Amino acid sequence: QVQLVESGGGLVQPGGSLRLSCAASGIIFSIYTFDWYRQAPGNQRELVATITSSSSTNYADSVKGRFIISRENADNTVYLQMSSLKPEDTAVYYCRSRLAVTSYWGQGTQVTVSS
């Protein structure tokens, strides 16, 4: 059974930092590409960052220079380090793993940026 479990969300002040984690099980972690998505109330889910099996990364323009995606194959975990957070970063953040036409989603973790 495949599971992706996100953690690390919470309430943070503008300008603060958070690190999200996505722990995967039931897959051969090292061969999957991972994405972080987010969805704010009333908005569509948007792609935030991607890391491939070879650790190539890509970011949405809105988070470039502030967010860093990384992976630790030994721990079957993907991370999203978020810095200089803004109120507009408030959303539920989701982890997705994908390989060819197969993909799996986590349940999401809430990030709220507010003073």
Side-chain angles (χ1 to χ4, degrees):
Q1 181 182 356
V2 178
Q3 277 194 312
L4 300 179
V5 180
E6 300 98 332
S7 62
L11 173 64
V12 63
Q13 292 188 341
S17 299
L18 280 176
R19 189 177 79 158
L20 306 184
S21 300
C22 171
S25 60
I27 59 172
I28 304 173
F29 182 89
S30 62
I31 65 175
Y32 275 74
T33 289
F34 285 84
D35 306 302
W36 282 99
Y37 281 78
R38 67 186 180 187
Q39 187 168 21
N43 290 359
Q44 289 188 328
R45 194 171 293 191
E46 64 169 338
L47 178 62
V48 173
T50 296
I51 187 165
T52 69
S53 58
S54 59
S55 294
S56 295
T57 58
N58 198 31
Y59 299 91
D61 287 343
S62 58
V63 306
K64 272 181 188 174
R66 301 189 298 122
F67 290 10
I68 299 173
I69 188 171
S70 62
R71 64 191 296 158
E72 181 54 67
N73 289 346
D75 294 334
N76 287 2
T77 303
V78 177
Y79 301 97
L80 186 68
Q81 178 67 49
M82 306 186 296
S83 303
S84 302
L85 283 162
K86 305 174 182 179
E88 52 263 44
D89 295 317
T90 296
V92 178
Y93 284 71
Y94 297 91
C95 175
R96 183 178 83 152
S97 65
R98 53 186 171 93
L99 179 67
V101 297
T102 301
S103 68
Y104 304 98
W105 289 87
Q107 84 289 348
T109 186
Q110 175 70 48
V111 172
T112 302
V113 184
S114 175
S115 54

